[in-house]
């Protein structure tokens, strides 16, 4: 049951941020920094592992012998621990959208380290993510007071959330056993879909564990409740599955594309799960709710820009894509571009060009050539 003070603060539509929300904010920002960097380090480890074994995207596990992958994994674990702690102090509607900061860090590091170029509009997308995050922080609901993990279990076993959980588990199983074998290597939404669906259940369980540990450290032991260990089992199962399919997504597709799409799906589903289970909007007025949703839509706009402009490149005149179209139309080339698939070198994008047959020229046969981006001017 929500405390009256929390309800009053949430319903007032303003006022200073509570100390618990402030702690959750700091922990969430720290988490984003570690997780954003972990994407890049893990990707570097996956690339090295692919040179000496079967790629993770094809079911290989050689990355487990790669130190860089483990450094990235440790960074992600630290970030997730900070994220875990944040959920103990602040509601998911505040903590989860701040994951947008990890997108910014990931995209910037991918641009510098992995040479996965970030377009000017991608930078604008990062700015929009920051603006949306600030909007949500300023209007987030207060954390509800919970005195026992049994209260969280009661919320999780209400019919509405049980129905949501059943739909999520069924959808994840369908993706894993029927969709992944046929479309996992070609459709980026498949791997990320599995991670995002299970991720929403992970967050709810992590929040329950965080509350249990916070109460335990404050003197009210929650570890003897079986509900605490049930939530821990759910976390372990969902997280291990998420890591497996996130590795497949990172190994198969471009990092700067995986990160924003994963963020959008994961955050959307988490907010839905939190609203159903913890009833975060019950003590907020319509203005606050609409403002929070506007902030979230601003973040979605930013991630959309990052996604759509990932394979564009800045130039003094025409963009590269415009020059390709013009060059193709003038010379009769057929150009096929695969922007989402991870190439051996992101700078050396493979363009398959078929030369037309001409009567008076020197081109008599069809040839296939590889061109670097810089060769098309």
């Amino acid at each position: 049951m929500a405390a009256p003070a929390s309800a009053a603060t949430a319903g007032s539509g303003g006022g200073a941020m509570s100390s618990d929300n402030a702690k959750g904010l700091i922990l969430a920002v720290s988490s984003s920094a570690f997780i954003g960097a972990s994407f890049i380090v893990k990707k570097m480890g996956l690339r090295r592992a692919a040179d000496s074994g079967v790629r993770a995207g094809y079911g290989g596990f050689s990355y487990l012998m790669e130190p860089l992958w483990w450094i990235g994994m440790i960074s992600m674990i630290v970030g997730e621990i900070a994220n875990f702690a944040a959920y103990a102090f602040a509601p998911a509607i505040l903590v989860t959208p701040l994951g947008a900061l990890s997108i910014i860090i990931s995209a910037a590091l991918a641009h510098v380290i992995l040479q996965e170029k970030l377009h000017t509009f991608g930078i604008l997308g990062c700015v929009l993510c920051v603006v949306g995050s600030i909007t949500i922080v300023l209007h987030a609901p207060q954390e509800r007071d919970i005195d026992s993990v049994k209260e969280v279990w009661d919320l999780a076993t209400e019919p509405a959330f049980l129905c949501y959980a059943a739909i999520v588990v069924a959808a994840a199983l369908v993706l894993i056993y029927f969709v992944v074998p046929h479309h996992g290597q070609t459709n980026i939404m498949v791997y990320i879909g599995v991670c995002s669906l299970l991720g929403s259940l992970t967050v709810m369980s992590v929040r329950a564990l965080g509350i249990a540990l916070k109460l335990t450290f404050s003197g009210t032991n929650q570890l003897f409740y079986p509900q605490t260990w049930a939530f821990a089992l759910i976390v372990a199962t969902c997280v291990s599955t998420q890591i497996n399919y996130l590795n497949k997504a990172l190994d198969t597709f471009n990092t700067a594309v995986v990160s924003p799409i994963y963020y959008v799906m994961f955050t959307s589903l988490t907010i839905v799960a939190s609203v159903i289970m913890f009833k975060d909007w019950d003590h907020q007025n319509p203005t606050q709710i609409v403002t929070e949703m506007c902030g979230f839509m601003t973040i979605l706009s930013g991630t959309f820009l990052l996604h759509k402009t990932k394979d564009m490149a800045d130039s003094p005149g025409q963009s590269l894509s415009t020059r390709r179209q013009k060059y193709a139309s003038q010379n009769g080339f057929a150009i096929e571009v695969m922007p989402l698939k991870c190439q051996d070198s992101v700078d050396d994008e493979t363009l398959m060009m078929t030369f037309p047959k001409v009567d008076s020229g020197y081109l008599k046969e069809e040839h296939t050539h590889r061109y670097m981006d810089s060769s098309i001017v």
Side-chain angles (χ1 to χ4, degrees):
M1 182 174 65
S6 297
T9 305
S12 64
M17 177 181 292
S18 69
S19 60
D20 277 355
N21 274 18
K23 293 175 184 176
L25 173 62
I26 294 172
L27 288 167
V29 172
S30 302
S31 168
S32 294
F34 281 104
I35 292 175
S38 75
F39 275 104
I40 306 306
V41 180
K42 287 175 68 179
K43 182 66 175 280
M44 294 169 64
L46 289 169
R47 283 185 174 181
R48 286 191 180 182
D51 295 335
S52 58
V54 180
R55 296 179 61 160
Y58 291 93
F61 293 95
S62 58
Y63 60 85
L64 294 175
M65 304 300 294
E66 177 54 52
L68 264 181
W69 185 87
W70 282 107
I71 293 173
M73 194 65 210
I74 291 172
S75 177
M76 176 169 281
I77 290 172
V78 172
E80 292 296 348
I81 290 174
N83 203 42
F84 177 97
Y87 283 111
F89 293 98
I93 290 180
L94 169 61
V95 176
T96 307
L98 292 178
L101 299 178
S102 69
I103 297 176
I104 298 172
I105 294 170
S106 178
L109 292 178
H111 176 81
V112 174
I113 298 175
L114 301 180
Q115 302 301 310
E116 296 178 356
K117 300 304 179 182
L118 185 62
H119 189 266
T120 302
F121 285 117
I123 298 175
L124 176 60
C126 293
V127 173
L128 288 174
C129 289
V130 173
V131 172
S133 298
I134 293 174
T135 302
I136 291 177
V137 167
L138 294 178
H139 296 85
Q142 301 298 320
E143 173 72 311
R144 60 188 294 154
D145 288 340
I146 295 178
D147 299 323
S148 170
V149 71
K150 294 177 67 176
E151 293 183 34
V152 184
W153 183 262
D154 291 339
L155 293 172
T157 53
E158 289 185 357
F161 187 76
L162 285 177
C163 181
Y164 171 82
I167 293 173
V168 165
V169 172
L173 291 175
V174 168
L175 286 175
I176 291 172
Y177 290 105
F178 297 101
V179 182
V180 165
H182 302 290
H183 304 287
Q185 291 292 316
T186 57
N187 192 329
I188 192 173
M189 303 301 290
V190 177
Y191 290 146
I192 296 179
V194 175
C195 295
S196 302
L197 286 166
L198 296 180
S200 66
L201 298 182
T202 301
V203 169
M204 297 303 101
S205 300
V206 162
R207 190 174 176 190
L209 277 179
I211 292 172
L213 290 177
K214 182 175 73 171
L215 291 172
T216 299
F217 292 145
S218 64
T220 307
N221 190 359
Q222 303 292 306
L223 298 181
F224 60 83
Y225 288 117
Q227 290 88 342
T228 300
W229 300 104
F231 283 125
L233 179 62
I234 295 172
V235 170
T237 303
C238 292
V239 167
S240 60
T241 306
Q242 284 178 255
I243 290 174
N244 182 34
Y245 285 95
L246 182 58
N247 279 334
K248 293 177 182 290
L250 286 171
D251 187 56
T252 307
F253 302 101
N254 197 308
T255 306
V257 178
V258 170
S259 299
I261 295 178
Y262 179 42
Y263 167 79
V264 170
M265 293 184 64
F266 169 73
T267 305
S268 300
L269 290 169
T270 299
I271 289 177
V272 171
S274 183
V275 169
I276 295 174
M277 179 173 169
F278 287 95
K279 302 174 178 60
D280 291 325
W281 286 344
D282 279 7
H283 299 289
Q284 287 196 292
N285 59 49
T287 300
Q288 288 177 292
I289 295 173
V290 170
T291 304
E292 289 169 14
M293 295 310 299
C294 287
F296 183 54
M297 292 304 297
T298 302
I299 295 175
L300 294 188
S301 300
T303 56
F304 176 80
L305 275 178
L306 280 170
H307 179 199
K308 296 300 290 185
T309 62
K310 176 60 194 73
D311 297 287
M312 296 172 62
D314 291 317
S315 63
Q318 297 169 298
S319 67
L320 177 59
S321 60
T322 303
R323 294 200 308 273
R324 285 176 181 162
Q325 293 172 0
K326 181 177 179 181
Y327 193 71
S329 62
Q330 289 178 347
N331 297 278
F333 295 159
I335 302 179
E336 178 186 359
V337 183
M338 296 178 292
L340 293 181
K341 294 293 287 182
C342 176
Q343 306 295 332
D344 291 338
S345 175
V346 179
D347 288 336
D348 300 340
E349 186 176 29
T350 303
L351 303 179
M352 300 303 295
M353 301 183 177
T354 304
F355 286 78
K357 295 180 180 180
V358 295
D359 294 329
S360 58
Y362 59 90
L363 299 175
K364 296 296 183 181
E365 299 177 353
E366 291 186 353
H367 301 279
T368 301
H369 293 267
R370 288 170 61 94
Y371 281 79
M372 293 177 59
D373 287 346
S374 59
S375 67
I376 303 177
V377 295

